[in-house]
Amino acid sequence: MNIAVLGSGGREHALCWALSQSPSCEKLYALPGNGGTAAVAENVVGMDICDSEALVGFARDHDIDMVVIGPEAPLVAGVADTLREAGFLVFGPDAQGARLEGSKTFSKHFMEKVGIPTAAYGTFENAEEAKAYAREVGAPIVVKADGLAAGKGVIVAEELDDALEAIDSCFEGAFGAAGSRVVVEECLTGPECSLLAFVTGGKAFCMATAQDHKRALDGDLGPNTGGMGVYSPVPIVTEEEHAAMVEVMEKAAAATAELFDHDYRGVLYGGFMLTPQGPKVLEFNARFGDPETQVILPRLKTDLVEVMSAVAQGKPHDIHLQWRDEWAACVVLASEGYPGSYEKGKVILGVDDAQALEGVIVFHAGTAKNQDEELVTSGGRVLNVVALGETFAEARERAYEAVERINFEGKQYRADIGAKAAAGREAWE
Ligand code: AMP
Ligand code: GLY
């Protein structure tokens, strides 16, 4: 099979890495890919991955059999729809399915209709009504821009005034068109946990649980980021909570088949909060998580090309997932200054040394080759250092040992990935 993967992050390197190991993978392209995908795929730079017609042209010219869509923007833009209409297999839902991520209002209405536990909410198209609702509920309260806002459209307000200000700034255009509708919702408490599932034919095939670390600094302090580290599975989840999350994913998958015009074929990402009343959905995403993918795929024993082509063809009966027993931990190495402004072009040393350690894989996020063919930083999040281990402690220790072997000027990372989970559920109380 000739396969094209759209996207350029650590997630896409992990996808290319896993796809390239399949005997069914003949030719693999990454559009545009990064310094890491270049080792396992052919990078194709300069194309707009939201331009459906251009992608159809590329797929025809390169005899592509299947297109795997990594990020949300092309999904929401309807790239999957156009490619499918042109006869290609596509891993990723069509635009309607992607609205589960692309519109928080759509997603909340879906959850309400299907009976999926989530925070109580109101959706608003003007500031006055949104503010009246926020005043009625009181702080703490959460304000969310409806559309895609690169992870920045959610404001968890401890004080009512902050919520009112957030509502005004959404409607004043702080998040562009994404903020022209606003969801105001109840503030939930508890540990967060992600459960991703392959979805096709109305069936959900759940992967392992994973937990991201969104804040930039140790102790969950500092600004929000795209994710500074992650581990899988999540040890603090009870069997009861796990069963409840699986039930939600199965219910959601069945509802996509019932309510949507076309079959949902891709990943459904459930972002949960483990509240005292049980797991509740914070959000759905219509794609693999980044960096969750980097700890989930190394634990997948099943051939990813076979899984993805079964999903893309709507053949749930062909999916039989098998997982390794090992634990996985991932530490993100970022550029100095991230998530604010940062410099690029710093030479990266030691990646091979790190990968020489047992169980260690380094996925690239923001890397490139310079004119001298040296590996250099080219983004805020630079590398994802992943380690597998027999125990959670071993996976974490190995990841940090590997982190020590990699150097570039301004390297920053969190030293406490997984520490809270290792301390047990009480750490969240
Ligand atoms: P979302 O993009 O909806 O997942 O929101 C981003 C982050 O905001 C989540 O990972 C949570 O940490 C936080 N968050 C979102 N919704 C709520 C809520 N209802 N209560 C508390 N925190 C929330
Ligand atoms: N790691 C969170 C996400 O991919 O949305």
Side-chain angles (χ1 to χ4, degrees):
M1 234 185 194
N2 296 335
I3 304 170
V5 175
L6 308 189
S8 62
R11 164 183 54 209
E12 285 74 22
H13 186 193
L15 287 167
C16 287
W17 170 85
L19 290 167
S20 70
Q21 287 171 28
S22 165
S24 326
C25 181
E26 286 166 49
K27 183 79 196 169
L28 185 61
Y29 297 93
L31 282 65
N34 61 34
T37 58
V40 287
E42 183 177 328
N43 285 353
V44 179
V45 294
M47 282 189 65
D48 174 0
I49 61 166
C50 290
D51 181 343
S52 309
E53 294 303 332
L55 291 166
V56 168
F58 173 86
R60 289 208 173 111
D61 292 347
H62 293 79
D63 250 339
I64 298 296
D65 300 294
M66 179 165 70
V67 179
V68 175
I69 304 178
E72 59 277 17
L75 293 169
V76 171
V79 162
D81 310 50
T82 313
L83 282 163
R84 277 197 187 103
E85 277 159 26
F88 297 101
L89 283 181
V90 182
F91 183 90
D94 64 6
Q96 188 189 29
R99 288 191 78 198
L100 285 175
E101 171 163 7
S103 166
K104 302 229 183 250
T105 307
F106 180 86
S107 184
K108 293 295 277 192
H109 288 163
F110 173 87
M111 290 187 243
E112 191 171 30
K113 190 162 185 173
V114 178
I116 287 174
T118 185
Y121 73 103
T123 74
F124 304 95
E125 294 186 7
N126 73 70
E128 285 321 306
E129 285 174 23
K131 288 200 270 191
Y133 179 82
R135 284 195 193 95
E136 195 186 312
V137 178
I141 192 159
V142 182
V143 177
K144 299 183 173 184
D146 180 73
L148 294 182
K152 298 192 180 74
V154 175
I155 299 95
V156 181
E158 295 300 332
E159 306 293 337
L160 183 63
D161 280 349
D162 297 335
L164 302 180
E165 201 178 301
I167 290 169
D168 277 330
S169 74
C170 279
F171 285 110
E172 282 160 11
F175 306 109
S180 61
R181 267 203 281 181
V182 164
V183 173
V184 180
E185 69 178 33
E186 171 199 7
C187 189
L188 302 176
T189 54
E192 287 182 47
C193 178
S194 306
L195 183 63
L196 284 69
F198 291 102
V199 172
T200 193
K203 300 275 180 236
F205 299 85
C206 289
M207 302 181 222
T209 52
Q211 199 170 45
D212 194 0
H213 294 60
K214 285 253 188 287
R215 300 295 196 98
L217 306 174
D218 285 7
D220 291 328
L221 299 173
N224 264 320
T225 70
M228 293 300 290
V230 60
Y231 53 84
S232 176
V234 182
I236 55 157
V237 176
T238 65
E239 264 179 47
E240 203 182 358
E241 285 169 334
H242 189 260
M245 289 192 287
V246 169
E247 192 186 323
V248 163
M249 298 309 290
E250 288 174 349
K251 213 169 181 179
T256 62
E258 209 173 292
L259 302 175
F260 293 176
D261 299 334
H262 302 114
D263 198 20
Y264 186 108
R265 296 179 180 174
V267 165
L268 183 65
Y269 169 127
F272 290 87
M273 197 166 258
L274 307 177
T275 78
Q277 293 79 39
K280 294 191 181 181
V281 174
L282 293 176
E283 62 166 345
F284 280 125
N285 292 326
R287 51 168 176 83
F288 270 106
D290 189 344
E292 287 85 345
T293 311
Q294 291 87 305
V295 285
I296 290 173
L297 291 183
R299 298 185 61 245
L300 179 66
K301 278 204 255 180
T302 323
D303 182 317
L304 187 62
V305 173
E306 280 173 23
V307 177
M308 286 189 154
S309 57
V311 170
Q313 292 175 79
K315 292 185 174 168
H317 299 298
D318 290 353
I319 300 174
H320 309 280
L321 300 180
Q322 285 192 301
W323 301 95
R324 287 179 219 292
D325 288 334
E326 288 113 307
W327 295 74
C330 164
V331 179
V332 172
L333 303 185
S335 298
E336 186 175 3
Y338 174 81
S341 60
Y342 51 84
E343 290 178 15
K344 298 181 184 178
K346 308 292 180 195
V347 175
I348 304 168
L349 297 172
V351 172
D352 289 341
D353 272 356
Q355 297 202 106
L357 287 167
E358 193 184 339
V360 171
I361 314 162
V362 179
F363 292 123
H364 296 221
T367 72
K369 290 275 173 75
N370 67 11
Q371 284 171 342
D372 300 327
E373 284 295 301
E374 292 169 313
L375 189 68
V376 295
T377 65
S378 69
R381 287 188 295 170
V382 177
L383 294 169
N384 305 142
V385 181
V386 177
L388 295 173
E390 298 290 328
T391 61
F392 188 31
E394 187 176 59
R396 293 177 56 224
E397 276 160 26
R398 281 182 177 168
Y400 279 108
E401 204 183 329
V403 162
E404 291 306 317
R405 294 191 176 193
I406 299 176
N407 281 304
F408 55 87
E409 195 187 317
K411 170 180 103 169
Q412 65 149 331
Y413 61 92
R414 276 184 61 163
D416 65 345
I417 301 303
K420 206 167 165 183
R425 188 72 175 250
E426 305 75 51
W428 268 270
E429 308 296 312

